[in-house]
Amino acid sequence: MSIQPAYCYRDPVRLLRMMKVLIALASLLALSAGQLNTLTKTQELDPAGNFRLNWEVIPGTGDIVLEIVANATGWVTLAIVTDDGKYADIIFGGYNDEFEFGYVEDWSLEWVPGAVPGEGAHLLPIPDGSKDIALQTASFTDPTTTLRVKRSLDTGDYYDVPIHSGQMPIGWSYSTSDAYDSVHAAAGFAYVTFY
């Protein structure tokens, strides 16, 4: 008894069609595997209710999805600050509604802490040589900017601050413009327990 190959293997056109379908399905599965539709953790970082952070640690991956929802017409930032308050890993991004595209940058900055926690000043942010964040979605629906990114809890990058268990200091800000050099319209600090 001989085993005959499947019919599609004898028809190169049909085989090519099946391969295209399989490649499309594999791509779709890979894309959707990295994105979450619902983020179950949330915290208002701004007492006035203008800046909310949603997040989810993806089990078994060492990754986290962070979503900023801000009452902002320009860029938004999230600063993941070291426990001593001297250094911050900056996620800078937004949605440029004029040109209809989302953007995200991985920056860092040094803090000059004040006498009271949450007070002080910072030096100008500098771009990180290794971009360790991935833009998942960005949108603007007047008056709200939403930015969703994914990164590793610990990227291993010297210029990134590892996200650890327990409380972490987090800075936030937003602007009325998408221009990189525009000043923030509002900013503040909060403590977040990611896991």
Side-chain angles (χ1 to χ4, degrees):
M1 172 192 288
S2 67
I3 299 176
Q4 296 293 318
Y7 172 74
C8 65
Y9 294 130
R10 289 187 242 156
D11 181 355
V13 173
R14 188 171 177 167
L15 177 62
L16 185 60
R17 283 186 198 144
M18 279 184 46
M19 288 177 65
K20 286 181 180 179
V21 169
L22 288 174
I23 290 170
L25 285 173
S27 299
L28 183 61
L29 287 172
L31 180 64
S32 65
Q35 294 195 21
L36 299 170
N37 291 328
T38 304
L39 305 180
T40 61
K41 310 288 191 292
T42 188
Q43 184 174 333
E44 284 290 341
L45 302 186
D46 176 15
N50 292 319
F51 197 104
R52 184 177 71 241
L53 178 64
N54 304 319
W55 71 92
E56 191 75 35
V57 175
I58 305 170
T61 66
D63 292 338
I64 187 168
V65 175
L66 302 163
E67 180 181 71
I68 298 164
V69 181
N71 186 9
T73 55
W75 54 254
V76 296
T77 68
L78 187 71
I80 303 166
V81 183
T82 56
D83 290 329
D84 64 7
K86 294 181 180 177
Y87 184 81
D89 182 11
I90 306 295
I91 297 170
F92 174 96
Y95 183 81
N96 186 312
D97 52 314
E98 180 180 355
F99 296 106
E100 299 181 347
F101 68 88
Y103 58 92
V104 68
E105 297 292 336
D106 187 1
W107 292 350
S108 60
L109 62 77
E110 290 184 46
W111 289 100
V112 180
V116 177
E119 290 185 3
H122 61 78
L123 303 175
L124 290 175
I126 57 171
D128 189 336
S130 173
K131 187 173 180 179
D132 298 307
I133 53 176
L135 176 64
Q136 291 201 317
T137 61
S139 64
F140 174 72
T141 305
D142 196 17
T144 303
T145 294
T146 303
L147 177 72
R148 185 182 281 203
V149 298
K150 181 177 157 186
R151 67 159 270 185
S152 293
L153 294 168
D154 187 351
T155 66
D157 183 351
Y158 175 80
Y159 295 102
D160 290 340
V161 176
I163 296 174
H164 60 72
S165 62
Q167 245 185 9
M168 290 190 71
I170 299 295
W172 59 269
S173 64
Y174 60 85
S175 177
T176 57
S177 170
D178 286 305
Y180 282 54
D181 60 352
S182 63
V183 297
H184 51 67
F189 280 91
Y191 286 90
V192 174
T193 302
F194 289 104
Y195 65 100

